[in-house]
Amino acid sequence: MTIPALMPVYPRSGFRPVRGEGCYLIGEDGGRALDMAGGIAVNALGHGHPKLVEAIAAQAATLMHVSNLYGSPHQERLAERLVAKTFADTVFFTNSGAEAVECAIKTARRFHYADGDPQRNTLICFNSAFHGRTLGAISATNQAKMRDGFEPLLPGFKYAPFNDLDAALALVDDNTAGFLVEPIQGEGGVSVGTDAFLKGLRAACDEHGLMLVFDEVQCGYGRTGSFFYHEQVGITPDIMSVAKGIGAGFPLGACLATERAAKGMVAGTHGSTYGGNPLAMAAAEAVLDVMEERGFLDHVTRMGERLRGALEQMIPNHDHLFEAVRGKGLMLGIRIKAEPRAFVAHCREEHGLLLVAAGDNVVRLLPPLTIGEAEIAECIEKLSDAARVWVGPSDD
Ligand code: PLP
């Protein structure tokens, strides 16, 4: 038998974290690393935040899971808080981002079905998009590396270049249900959707009666300095998938929708055994409590500006490797002139700095939103050291 007990679908690194403290991870061998990956934009409150730990421990001792057969004061409380804070009128809780996207796709299709237009079942999606690994979510991306060997995928998806409004509008026809888009593409390379592009999609949805579905799994929940990124653009979607920061390490996602968009999602149309269980809800309420503390989002904005400014200052000193900074708030990427996975490995193995690769030429910084100035300074120092001694394969 050569296959490991753990299905080998991830090219895992040799770093084996066993403990976390704030912005640091401690490995099995005692090695300490500065965590600028944040569990891929998940650990919004860092590792071991006392309020999150306390809430989970107390809820685990009280009631962990009951199924969705019964009334749920826990889910109602969090759903009401999210409804009060967002465009949404209603929320479905899931266990992951991909499931939140699945629910969003189903909600969009079901809207048109309930509206008497079942043929409007096709979502227009975008090149380099990433929506998760379920069959629905990989059908919504046209990246071959995620799709190969899993066909037949779901019909009802078309693809346009990201940030190309004319190309997206040219795909609209009598079968179009709406657009599914990450306002800031994460895995695709930290590409920010332009205001004109996102507003143009909104206008087209209003004009043609289509559903605008935002996937804010990565860019939402405080990551860019507003609760959701679309607030900064000044538009709202009809449906939105959320995950990652919502549980800040506890597996949780959500699909948010307006009352109109959710008109087809009646009893019996969707479900999840674990979705929204009391333990997940307690974690999410604790996360929201912290994010609603005075100054939390301002802190994200300030730290985002500081990190960005420091990166921009550093780049000219290492222009053999670094090109430019992109992103918003604490969702930042550096375009580099090297294979990003190799540089991420170099930073991790030689400099105790954890980053994440994205797309073909970007390294992402997605630190805990609680990061402070000292950790930002340490990050810049480590990145500079890593760049100075970098001798890896280069595209130059
Ligand atoms: N959507 C976006 C924008 C994501 O970045 C991700 C994960 O990285 C997902 C969906 C899928 O989330 P999950 O891995 O929790 O299923």
Side-chain angles (χ1 to χ4, degrees):
M1 194 103 82
T2 53
I3 191 164
L6 193 56
M7 194 182 277
V9 292
Y10 290 109
R12 293 174 188 273
S13 77
F15 182 53
R16 297 162 63 87
V18 289
R19 202 154 49 83
E21 291 169 5
C23 289
Y24 294 88
L25 282 177
I26 295 98
E28 209 172 37
D29 61 0
R32 202 174 161 85
L34 177 62
D35 185 8
M36 298 298 286
I40 320 186
V42 167
N43 299 104
L45 306 186
H47 302 283
H49 192 287
K51 289 192 177 155
L52 181 54
V53 172
E54 201 180 300
I56 291 173
Q59 188 63 47
T62 311
L63 184 68
M64 219 182 302
H65 176 82
V66 291
S67 86
N68 283 307
L69 293 173
Y70 313 111
S72 175
H74 308 88
Q75 286 187 45
E76 283 167 11
R77 218 164 35 231
L78 181 62
E80 278 160 18
R81 288 179 73 176
L82 291 175
V83 162
K85 290 177 75 67
T86 68
F87 73 94
D89 301 310
T90 192
V91 182
F92 180 87
F93 291 110
T94 69
N95 313 287
S96 68
E99 286 169 274
V101 169
E102 292 286 335
C103 182
I105 294 168
K106 287 178 73 174
T107 303
R109 286 188 173 178
R110 186 82 185 178
F111 164 76
H112 292 292
Y113 171 88
D115 214 35
D117 287 319
Q119 78 288 354
R120 288 190 172 199
N121 53 27
T122 296
L123 282 168
I124 296 169
C125 309
F126 295 91
N127 295 350
S128 301
F130 182 74
H131 299 292
R133 298 294 197 141
T134 57
L135 282 168
I138 62 173
S139 302
T141 179
N142 60 355
Q143 296 193 61
K145 64 183 181 200
M146 285 169 211
R147 299 165 55 109
D148 283 355
F150 295 115
E151 292 92 351
L153 300 182
L154 293 191
F157 296 91
K158 290 182 176 176
Y159 318 93
F162 187 63
N163 269 337
D164 187 339
L165 182 61
D166 291 342
L169 298 186
L171 293 177
V172 174
D173 63 20
D174 293 345
N175 298 122
T176 305
F179 301 97
L180 168 58
V181 60
E182 295 159 88
I184 304 177
Q185 287 191 336
E187 307 292 317
V190 195
S191 307
V192 179
T194 64
D195 284 10
F197 172 63
L198 297 170
K199 285 180 173 169
L201 296 180
R202 176 70 271 170
C205 287
D206 293 341
E207 189 185 337
H208 301 292
L210 306 175
M211 292 282 108
L212 182 60
V213 185
F214 279 167
D215 180 350
E216 289 223 25
V217 164
Q218 190 160 149
C219 65
Y221 238 80
R223 174 80 20 211
T224 67
S226 49
F227 192 39
F228 288 103
Y229 177 64
H230 66 257
E231 295 165 27
Q232 294 181 41
V233 184
I235 53 167
T236 56
D238 302 293
I239 303 169
M240 179 169 70
S241 51
V242 178
K244 294 193 185 269
I246 189 174
F250 197 93
L252 176 65
C255 175
L256 279 61
T258 63
E259 181 167 14
R260 175 171 169 269
K263 84 186 237 185
M265 300 304 279
V266 296
T269 53
H270 197 51
S272 163
T273 297
Y274 293 121
N277 83 13
L279 193 55
M281 296 298 96
E285 284 224 71
V287 172
L288 205 47
D289 288 346
V290 174
M291 286 196 185
E292 285 182 339
E293 280 170 12
R294 237 174 111 105
F296 185 92
L297 291 176
D298 291 343
H299 175 83
V300 177
T301 303
R302 258 186 306 116
M303 291 305 109
E305 281 165 7
R306 191 163 189 108
L307 179 56
R308 188 186 192 106
L311 290 170
E312 279 168 352
Q313 248 186 352
M314 177 198 69
I315 282 177
N317 301 333
H318 305 287
D319 57 6
H320 65 291
L321 180 62
F322 298 143
E323 281 190 289
V325 186
R326 58 212 297 184
K328 296 277 179 185
L330 287 171
M331 181 175 181
L332 294 176
I334 314 172
R335 226 176 47 237
I336 69 170
K337 301 174 189 171
E339 206 295 300
R341 280 146 203 92
F343 183 66
V344 166
H346 169 71
C347 289
R348 184 182 60 240
E349 279 155 32
E350 309 295 331
H351 302 276
L353 175 65
L354 304 179
L355 305 166
V356 206
D360 296 333
N361 57 2
V362 173
V363 292
R364 266 178 295 177
L365 297 98
L366 303 162
L369 305 183
T370 48
I371 192 170
E373 292 177 8
E375 288 121 353
I376 288 177
E378 185 183 336
C379 168
I380 297 297
E381 203 178 295
K382 285 180 184 298
L383 259 179
S384 296
D385 290 348
R388 202 170 301 120
V389 298
W390 169 252
V391 288
S394 156
D395 292 344
D396 285 349

